Amino acid sequence: MSSPEEQAFRLLTEYSNGFMVSQVLFAACELGVFDLLAEAPEPLGAAAVAARLGTSSHGTELLLDTCVSLKLLQVETKTGKALYQNTELSSTYLVRASPKCQGNMLRYLARTTYLCWGHLTQAVRDGRNQYLEAFGVPSDQLFSAIYRSEDERLLFMRGLQDVWSVSGRPVLGAFDLSPFPLICDVGGDFFKDPLPEADLYLLARVLHDWTDERCSRLLARIRRACKPGGGVLVIESLLAADGRGPLTAQLYSLNMLVQTEGRERTPAQYRALLAAAGFRHVQCRRTGGLYDAILATR
Ligand code: ASE
């Protein structure tokens, strides 16, 4: 048994090294390690992986063995030779042929989100996103809100779809949606474009990108489009009532600070926004998953 002081140091070291773990995962995805191993008819040695990927033998071996320690790969030794293959985790979530592949989100996190997080200290000082600092582009000159290019916008959309393919179902089961036969998933330029007629408007991972003021404007537009008995289903990661958890929601709120104008919110904060927009009945449901649901009707 280690002393409490030693345990604390171990925890500290784990946190300090967290970014290295993210980068191992990002690099293995970017290089196509998991796809190569999934498509190979049998487990491959490090030299074969390096040859197929066009990477250095030393770097590849280190990366593969680190992936083994992270349970992203498994290794078996046959006649003195290490052979690598995917684990259940990587086969399910990291191989492009899998319907649950998170590859687009991981590439987006690696190429965009990670760079903004490099400026977290300054974001906390300033209280605003770090696009100018991370990319040298003022955020009002970005291609549509937060994207540097059309390619980046597409990667982000595909990334959100990746997460939805795993975490979407539980949220849609949180409420009985049978009173709402026609559902509109609100996206695109929703501050300007006319809203189509619907019984229920879905706002999934939208409000967390925006200031209270912009959320109020959007909710008021939806309230005006809503028929009596109609409503809005807000899908977000809810913060605890006191804002002090869960950790994932807190990290996402910091993510909104470094990348957007928004924040994650508590149930009371969503209630206030929805009530101010004229919605009468507001119900919050935690799912225990990545996303929670708030149903409001007029
Ligand atoms: C946004 C979502 C994200 C805006 C910027 C973002 C994410 C990274 N950067 O609406 C993804 C957040 N993670 C999940 C699981 O949604």
Side-chain angles (χ1 to χ4, degrees):
M1 259 312 273
S2 56
S3 70
E5 192 177 315
E6 286 164 338
Q7 282 177 40
F9 189 72
R10 195 165 304 161
L11 188 61
L12 179 69
T13 305
E14 200 185 304
Y15 292 165
S16 317
N17 296 347
F19 78 97
M20 300 180 198
V21 175
S22 301
Q23 289 295 10
V24 167
L25 173 61
F26 295 159
C29 281
E30 290 267 13
L31 291 168
V33 169
F34 306 108
D35 293 324
L36 174 64
L37 291 174
E39 285 153 23
E42 58 205 23
L44 297 178
V49 173
R52 305 268 199 99
L53 298 179
T55 51
S56 70
S57 55
H58 176 59
T60 305
E61 194 169 353
L62 282 177
L63 187 71
L64 295 178
D65 283 328
T66 310
C67 284
V68 171
S69 291
L70 293 172
K71 303 186 173 71
L72 302 174
L73 291 178
Q74 56 194 104
V75 67
E76 56 175 356
T77 311
K78 263 202 184 142
T79 58
K81 196 180 168 209
L83 297 172
Y84 300 87
Q85 60 188 336
N86 287 320
T87 57
E88 199 69 31
L89 186 161
S90 51
S91 304
T92 308
Y93 296 115
L94 300 174
V95 169
R96 91 185 130 207
S98 166
K100 295 179 178 173
C101 183
Q102 303 294 298
N104 298 295
M105 180 49 87
L106 289 166
R107 277 189 288 280
Y108 180 75
L109 293 174
R111 296 175 194 178
T112 302
T113 305
Y114 191 86
L115 305 181
C116 293
W117 276 82
H119 301 269
L120 177 63
T121 310
Q122 197 56 36
V124 170
R125 285 204 178 101
D126 299 351
R128 57 168 179 76
N129 72 57
Q130 297 295 303
Y131 269 90
L132 179 59
E133 293 73 7
F135 308 132
V137 189
S139 49
D140 61 359
Q141 277 174 32
L142 287 165
F143 176 88
S144 146
I146 68 167
Y147 315 113
R148 286 175 288 170
S149 65
E150 174 65 4
D151 282 353
E152 183 170 62
R153 190 185 68 81
L154 277 176
L155 184 62
F156 178 63
M157 295 298 156
R158 291 183 178 128
L160 287 181
Q161 186 52 44
D162 287 352
V163 181
W164 189 256
S165 70
V166 176
S167 302
R169 278 277 144 224
V171 212
L172 292 183
F175 290 102
D176 174 19
L177 300 181
S178 62
F180 311 105
L182 187 59
I183 298 180
C184 167
D185 183 10
V186 179
D189 198 354
F190 35 68
F191 290 111
K192 290 205 193 103
D193 293 347
L195 291 161
E197 205 171 289
D199 302 300
L200 186 73
Y201 295 88
L202 219 76
L203 277 178
R205 307 174 289 191
V206 167
L207 295 183
H208 75 170
D209 289 334
W210 304 103
T211 59
D212 284 355
E213 193 211 331
R214 296 257 244 174
C215 289
S216 293
R217 265 175 41 207
L218 179 56
L219 288 172
R221 291 196 84 206
I222 292 176
R223 168 65 179 69
R224 280 196 296 277
C226 241
K227 294 173 269 193
V232 59
L233 184 69
V234 174
I235 295 169
E236 298 286 1
S237 299
L238 280 176
L239 282 167
D242 64 4
R244 300 212 183 87
L247 177 62
T248 307
Q250 293 174 297
L251 293 175
Y252 286 177
S253 204
L254 285 169
N255 192 43
M256 294 306 120
L257 175 72
V258 297
Q259 268 211 276
T260 71
E261 301 178 11
R263 59 178 62 204
E264 304 300 343
R265 294 179 174 87
T266 66
Q269 288 171 327
Y270 282 114
R271 271 174 203 285
L273 288 172
L274 288 158
F279 289 97
R280 295 255 169 285
H281 313 281
V282 183
Q283 291 170 271
C284 293
R285 296 263 161 91
R286 289 185 190 275
T287 65
L290 217 43
Y291 300 127
D292 306 297
I294 304 132
L295 179 64
T297 49
R298 61 166 281 183

